[in-house]
Each structure stands twice: as structure tokens, then as C-alpha cells.
Amino acid sequence: MPDLFSPYTLKGVTLRNRIAMSPMTMYRSTDGKMDDFHLMYLGARAAGGFGLIYPEQVAISPEGHTTPHCAGIYEDAQIEGHARVTSMIKNMGGVAGIQLGHTGRNGSELKPWVGGDLGQQLSPDHPEGWQVVGPSDVPYGFGKRPYPVHALTVEEIEAIHRKYAEAAVRALEAGYEWLEMHFAHGYLAASFYSPLANRRTDSYGGSKENRARFLIEAMDAVREVWPEHLPLTFRLGADDYHPDGVQWEDSIEVVGWLKEHGADMADLSFGGNTDDMVDPFFGDVSAWVERGAQVKREIDIPVTVSWNLGVPQNADRAIRDEKIDLVLLGRPALANPHWPVWAARELGHKDPFELVPEDWGWWLQNFRGHDPSIGWPEVPVAPENLDEVA
């Protein structure tokens, strides 16, 4: 029976454990490049024991950014920064994954702490803004993204698919060993899949098969250039939580189609195509685990999910019960770069310090001193006794 700390192999890549760090937007790039911040931030999580480490969603084109300050891999000049990061992750024992995406009508945004809310959009004529694109001329709306959307032509869609492939080639050159396609969270591919955003009447709109066409063709484009021995996965916006949007039952079949087109793993999440959601279960513990188990069972494809798996016992149970294959952690990874070490201690792992680099581990294993003094309390220490154990 697997557990949270058992190795996991997909295609020709083996992860040291089942703990992965989710892609999270950091708003720290200049001209789409990754720099010392990303080296520190991502390297620390690899040193902290995560098996698979993603940077943020990485844009395949300039207009595919979320904000002007997000990372990209659409120019050769951006490869060097990515290569420094992948080298550090590998040196610290992790595997570097990249999530490729295009934000579509959800781009041209302000940093959330500047705009006062997530998703506040810059107008197309703002010095840092741009014309957002989508399947149809339907703005996201709700007061945050009100600006006109350019409906992509078939020729423009084909050009975007080529950009996916070109970005994948650069990702390989930069040293990434795991590639995920971002088809969720209201971004371009998710908006093609959702009837809330897609009002087209051509071969990319209407039926479920047509609305999924953009996703499948993007997968095909990357599959042609991405090596077969390296994992190719996707994050699918599998439910809009809206009666007129993407429905969970339909998405199970779409996962099967993507598997047929060369996908090696399904990463399941929400659609994100509207703020008008009905009974979303974002606050539920292990929110997507049972749905992941259903897809794993019915489609026979490896599955990973995120959302509220930051309690070690819950994460471990999802793996032990074989409902999912990997656990994705976002906010827990931000809060604690050594989450895997902490989780190992909580779960009674025989040697939590084997998860850190061997030089650190040697000192922590062999010169323990007084455990509470090295930030490793075995029992609670009462405030009045702190001087006695310092």
C-alpha cells in the first residue's frame, strides 16, 4: 500500500514522494523572466522535501500573462532563468514541473493587493494593459473584468496552439521533466470548454465535443514535441458550479478524450468561469478527493487534486486509500517550505530529516542536542520553563 512518502513513477520520471507543490502566481517577473526570487522560493521547497515542484502558470505568449509581472516562456531569453530554477530543484532532490497556460479573457490584471481584490482588470488602453481574448466576445464581468473581449478567429486559435508547442520545446531546453497544460480556473482553455464563456457556432462551440476541441488540439500540439518518456498532464476545470456551465458528469468523459490524445495524468479542479457559483465546496476538507477517485476508477488514469489537503493525516489517507496518486499543496507550501518534514513528523515517519539535503540531514540526525532548541519540539514546553530548556 502506498503512503504519502512512497516514491511515485510516471513514465520515465520517479518522484521521491507523493507531495507536489501547486503552481501559484507570484507576480515577481520582469519581462516574463524568472530571477533570484524564483530560485530562492522554488529551491527552498525542493530542499524542504517536496517531490514535484511547479512554478506559477507560465505564459505561452505576452498576452497570455495574468499580469504584466508574471512569468513566461515565449522567448528564448526567458530560458536561462527557468534553467537556473530547474537546476536548483534537481540539485535539492526534487523534480521540476512546468504548467503552461494562457489567461485569455482573465488577463491584463492588477496585482491583487494593488487592485484590492483578485481579478481587477486593466483596460486595453492602460500603459500596462492589453486586449484580452477568448472564444467569444463575452467579458467575465462582475465588475472586475468588464472590458471587451476579442473573439479569436480560427487562424488565431491555430497560432496559439503553435505557441503551446514552442513553449514546450523551450521548457524541455530549460530542464523541466514534467509538463502540465492549464485548462482550468477561467483561463483561455477553460473558457473554450465552458458554455458560460463560449457562444461560438463553428467547430469550436456548441456541443461538448466542439467546446473540448481547443483543449484536445492544444494537447496534440504539445504531444508532438514533448518526449514520450516525460509526463504530460493537464489541469481541467471540471465543474463551473453553475447550471449553465461545465458539469462534472461531462468532464469525466472529457478526461477520457484527453487520455486518448496522450495525457498521462489528470489534475482536477474547478472551472472558474463565473463568480456566480452555486454551492462550491472550496471550504470542504479534502474537497476534490472523492471526485478524483471517481475519475481514477472510471477512466483508469492517474489523478492528482488540490484543495484543503494541508492536514498531513488527510493527505496521507487520500494516498493510502489509493483515491489519488499525488497530493497538490498550494497555500500549505507557501506557509511552510518544509511541510513534508513537518508532515513526516506528524505521521510518525521513521526519519523525517531524510527528506532534507543530506548535509542538513546528517547534522540534524547525529547532533540533535536538545530537540526543542533546534525547532523540533517533541513535547509542548510551558512558557515558565523556557529558561530551563533554552
Side-chain angles (χ1 to χ4, degrees), residues 5 8 22 24 41 55 107 123-124 148 185-186 189-190 213 242 267 287 291 314 337 339 380:
F5 299 98
Y8 179 70
S22 287
M24 290 171 284
Y41 158 63
S123 69
H185 301 173
R213 190 181 306 278
H242 190 285
D267 172 4
R291 287 188 167 192
N314 295 333
W339 188 95

Side-chain angles (χ1 to χ4, degrees), residues 206-244:
S207 67
K208 177 175 60 179
E209 291 80 1
N210 283 355
R211 288 184 285 106
R213 190 181 306 278
F214 181 96
L215 286 62
I216 290 170
E217 291 181 352
M219 179 67 66
D220 287 343
V222 171
R223 183 73 280 173
E224 286 187 12
V225 300
W226 188 250
E228 281 289 343
H229 71 282
L230 298 180
L232 175 58
T233 75
F234 62 89
R235 172 171 280 180
L236 182 65
D239 195 334
D240 277 333
Y241 300 112
H242 190 285
D244 299 324

Side-chain angles (χ1 to χ4, degrees), residues 87-336:
S87 177
M88 176 63 77
I89 289 172
K90 187 172 184 176
N91 184 267
M92 292 293 106
V95 169
I98 187 169
Q99 185 189 67
L100 297 181
H102 188 301
T103 53
R105 64 181 189 155
N106 283 10
S108 190
E109 292 182 3
L110 283 163
K111 297 177 183 179
W113 54 91
V114 175
D117 191 12
L118 188 66
Q120 293 290 348
Q121 199 169 53
L122 295 164
S123 69
D125 56 2
H126 188 280
E128 291 193 322
W130 59 88
Q131 174 63 61
V132 296
V133 302
S136 305
D137 59 351
V138 181
Y140 189 94
F142 299 97
K144 295 193 294 185
R145 306 181 185 95
Y147 299 106
V149 175
H150 168 68
L152 292 164
T153 66
V154 172
E155 292 74 20
E156 288 169 334
I157 291 170
E158 293 170 350
I160 288 172
H161 288 149
R162 288 194 295 272
K163 290 181 184 297
Y164 273 109
E166 292 164 1
V169 171
R170 293 190 185 96
L172 185 64
E173 184 177 345
Y176 289 103
E177 299 180 271
W178 190 294
L179 191 152
E180 177 169 282
M181 310 284 285
H182 199 349
F183 297 157
H185 301 173
Y187 295 149
L188 184 61
S191 67
F192 265 91
Y193 180 41
S194 175
L196 294 173
N198 187 342
R199 310 287 173 79
R200 299 176 74 100
T201 58
D202 63 2
S203 61
Y204 289 95
S207 67
K208 177 175 60 179
E209 291 80 1
N210 283 355
R211 288 184 285 106
R213 190 181 306 278
F214 181 96
L215 286 62
I216 290 170
E217 291 181 352
M219 179 67 66
D220 287 343
V222 171
R223 183 73 280 173
E224 286 187 12
V225 300
W226 188 250
E228 281 289 343
H229 71 282
L230 298 180
L232 175 58
T233 75
F234 62 89
R235 172 171 280 180
L236 182 65
D239 195 334
D240 277 333
Y241 300 112
H242 190 285
D244 299 324
V246 168
Q247 303 299 308
W248 167 248
E249 293 75 15
D250 289 336
S251 294
I252 297 174
E253 186 174 18
V254 172
V255 170
W257 295 345
L258 290 165
K259 177 187 175 184
E260 292 171 0
H261 284 260
D264 301 312
M265 172 178 273
D267 172 4
L268 303 170
S269 192
F270 68 104
N273 288 291
T274 179
D275 282 348
D276 188 22
M277 291 181 280
V278 180
D279 298 326
F281 47 90
F282 298 144
D284 294 357
V285 173
S286 306
W288 277 84
V289 168
E290 291 303 326
R291 287 188 167 192
Q294 182 181 357
V295 165
K296 184 175 168 67
R297 182 174 63 250
E298 295 184 16
I299 305 300
D300 189 25
I301 187 172
V303 169
T304 184
V305 301
S306 52
W307 290 101
N308 304 326
L309 284 165
V311 175
Q313 290 79 3
N314 295 333
D316 187 57
R317 187 178 304 114
I319 298 297
R320 286 181 182 273
D321 292 346
E322 299 186 66
K323 293 185 174 181
I324 58 175
D325 297 282
L326 297 179
V327 168
L328 277 165
L329 300 177
R331 288 160 295 174
L334 288 182
N336 183 359

Side-chain angles (χ1 to χ4, degrees), residues 12-26:
V13 175
T14 298
L15 307 178
R16 57 187 167 185
N17 56 46
R18 308 298 184 101
I19 309 168
M21 175 180 166
S22 287
M24 290 171 284
T25 306
M26 290 289 104

